[in-house]
Amino acid sequence: MKVAVVGAGWAGLSAATRLADSGADVAVFDMAPQPGGRARSVAGDPPYDNGQHILIGAYRDSLALMQRLGVDVNAVLLRAPLALPYPGEPGLQLPPGPPLLAFTRGVLAHRGWPLPARLRLLMAATGWLVRGFRCAPGENVAHLCSGLPRVVLQDLIEPLCVAALNTPAAEASAEVFLRVLKDALFSGAGSADLLLPRRPLSELLATPAHAWLGPRLQLGRRVQRIEPEWQVDGEAFDAVVLACSSVEAARLTADIAPDWAHTAQQLPFQPIVTVYLQSPGSRLAAPMLALREGPDAPAQFVFDHGQLGGAAGRFAFVVSGAADWVARGDAGQAVLAQALRELAWASPPVLDRVLTEKRATFACTPGLQRPAAHIRPGLWAAGDYVAGPYPATLEGAVRAGAAAAQGVLAQGAAKGSPTNTP
Ligand SMILES: Cc1cc2nc3c(=O)[nH]c(=O)nc-3n(C[C@H](O)[C@H](O)[C@H](O)COP(=O)(O)OP(=O)(O)OC[C@H]3O[C@@H](n4cnc5c(N)ncnc54)[C@H](O)[C@@H]3O)c2cc1C
């Protein structure tokens, strides 16, 4: 089978690896000069990440793909039990061990919250468990958690929601949030662990995948046109996986599958702003600290790259669900002021870089209609936005890529193409 993969983000690289492993003749096209899509490094010494990324232990397919491509995941990721320390406060810390037990023990031991607040959280979590982590599709996270004390909402639910769904709790899908919690608490030992990149983002997947794919990956190639069945800019293929952005996928399918294109075109987006500060000689109390967001405080998290094996004195502040800050246009200065107010510095921090991704992820709102993976026979979509249980994450992208590859291979097998369908 000759298969075209359009886009070399994590979804496209996942699809291409699966297809190539199954004996397909794969060609991957990406319009950018480097692979990795949104999860890539950008120029700097050492390189910056195009947005600080966090993985969790439940990202099983992403970790398996990295290993398949020869990446030593223990070397490139710092793994630690989930902890949400705030400046000057230890915050919630889960002990090692089975995630559900660790969650219960961690919450009970968290003396920063009054005992009734801890018990209310455990009772709410038990209710979610009993209901199978399901709720009405139209429910939002703020409503789901409306019975919880303010301190739990502010210190746990709101930061977790905006980190995982890139959507504020009042607008975020409770169904997807519960799915993330379920996977973090029920995917086996270590599934709730935080995995922080110790190397520039491209080294996690994009660069090793490029080396593995070799000339099968063509960069600087923006696919202009797809015609049934199937031509990619005039070259014939047996199948196509669209692993580009939803906007580009909608453009490429507008004539071929107008309904699908319309759904993809309608997806709303949320920005993320990553603000890098420099402060030589400074060090945070932990590699990652949570921060309290507010009207003058945009960032929800800060990462100390010196403690993560990167540039000493470089600090990445993350502003997720950043639509209001992008509209205001002063996220960088506001983060600098927040940093000066909330953290101790060995030398005055200075604004280094502000990276704004206006379409960082789709806005994960209740009942959102997402386009299906299967568009037409021989034409599949892969990407973090494709219909599925996950929010827009690396794991969602990798799973979507694998699912599209699987779909292509199954259709190929049904038509008798000589691939090794796993
Ligand atoms: C700032 C930021 C922070 C994030 N933080 C996290 C996090 O902490 N944890 C997490 O799990 N996720 C995080 N994400 C989300 C994660 O990065 C994405 O979910 C994931 O990278 C999406 O991968 P993808 O392959 O679906 O899409 P993309 O990465 O967007 O890949 C699409 C590719 O298609 C290419 N392309 C587009 N059109 C064409 C065309 N016509 N022809 C050829 N190529 C084309 C593009 O150049 C691009 O390389 C973050 C995202 C951002 C932006």
Side-chain angles (χ1 to χ4, degrees):
M1 264 191 120
K2 193 178 166 200
V3 185
V5 176
V6 181
W10 283 43
L13 295 173
S14 163
T17 309
R18 177 72 66 104
L19 287 162
D21 265 343
S22 301
D25 175 10
V26 185
V28 188
F29 306 106
D30 200 296
M31 61 197 257
Q34 77 285 311
R38 278 165 277 166
R40 68 179 186 280
S41 307
V42 296
D45 185 20
Y48 296 82
D49 293 341
N50 177 49
Q52 176 72 46
H53 279 61
I54 317 175
L55 293 78
I56 60 169
Y59 280 17
R60 279 218 231 109
D61 287 31
S62 303
L63 296 171
L65 178 62
M66 289 162 71
Q67 278 167 328
R68 168 68 190 91
L69 295 168
V71 177
D72 179 351
V73 294
N74 294 320
V76 301
L77 295 166
L78 175 69
R79 179 186 271 266
L82 177 71
L84 287 178
Y86 284 81
E89 301 166 36
L92 179 67
Q93 315 258 353
L94 300 200
L100 193 58
L101 185 62
F103 178 74
T104 309
R105 287 174 53 206
V107 170
L108 284 175
H110 180 25
R111 297 190 189 279
W113 294 341
L115 184 60
R118 289 178 250 163
L119 295 176
R120 293 256 294 277
L121 173 58
L122 290 178
M123 279 168 58
T126 307
W128 299 335
L129 173 65
V130 167
R131 289 189 289 278
F133 288 93
R134 289 208 195 86
C135 68
E139 188 166 5
N140 68 44
V141 172
H143 185 262
L144 176 80
C145 300
S146 56
L148 290 175
R150 181 70 217 138
V151 68
V152 175
L153 294 175
Q154 182 185 287
D155 287 3
L156 181 68
I157 301 295
E158 288 167 4
L160 278 189
C161 177
V162 85
L165 275 64
N166 191 28
T167 308
E171 299 160 31
S173 161
E175 194 179 27
V176 177
F177 182 70
L178 285 174
R179 175 58 193 247
V180 173
L181 284 187
K182 179 178 175 223
D183 278 9
L185 295 175
F186 284 99
S187 309
S191 52
D193 288 355
L194 286 183
L195 280 59
L196 305 182
R198 289 167 128 150
R199 301 291 309 154
L201 202 46
S202 283
E203 290 186 28
L204 267 53
L205 191 78
T207 305
H210 192 181
W212 191 83
L213 286 166
R216 291 175 288 191
L217 171 56
Q218 298 177 38
L219 297 169
R221 262 288 303 267
R222 181 178 185 217
V223 169
Q224 304 289 350
R225 190 165 171 74
I226 292 180
E227 289 157 278
E229 302 206 338
W230 292 103
Q231 304 272 326
V232 175
D233 290 339
E235 185 180 349
F237 289 89
D238 297 308
V240 179
V241 175
L242 289 179
C244 47
S245 64
S246 56
V247 173
E248 276 290 280
R251 178 182 71 78
L252 290 167
T253 53
D255 297 334
I256 311 169
D259 290 348
W260 189 94
H262 180 74
T263 309
Q265 185 65 50
Q266 294 298 311
L267 283 178
F269 292 98
Q270 267 284 355
I272 298 178
V273 180
T274 309
V275 178
Y276 287 97
L277 301 187
Q278 290 285 354
S279 171
S282 295
R283 185 182 164 89
L284 299 178
M288 179 189 105
L289 291 180
L291 299 170
R292 292 196 177 88
E293 186 184 1
D296 297 313
Q300 299 102 1
F301 293 95
V302 55
F303 297 80
D304 181 344
H305 278 222
Q307 290 190 54
L308 289 168
R314 183 187 281 177
F315 300 87
F317 289 75
V318 177
V319 186
S320 294
D324 292 348
W325 288 99
V326 170
R328 275 175 59 160
D330 63 348
Q333 288 301 332
V335 163
L336 181 59
Q338 181 184 11
L340 283 165
R341 268 195 318 271
E342 296 181 19
L343 297 160
W345 301 98
S347 64
V350 293
L351 202 50
D352 180 15
R353 287 190 81 151
V354 180
L355 299 178
T356 302
E357 272 277 0
K358 289 197 173 157
R359 290 179 180 157
T361 69
F362 65 84
C364 192
T365 51
L368 180 70
Q369 202 196 346
R370 289 158 64 176
H374 187 225
I375 306 174
R376 279 181 55 165
L379 182 62
W380 293 78
D384 61 358
Y385 67 89
V386 166
Y390 291 97
T393 52
L394 299 171
E395 181 71 1
V398 167
R399 289 192 185 200
Q406 197 69 30
V408 166
L409 294 167
Q411 281 183 352
K415 283 168 76 176
S417 296
T419 49
N420 318 316
T421 310

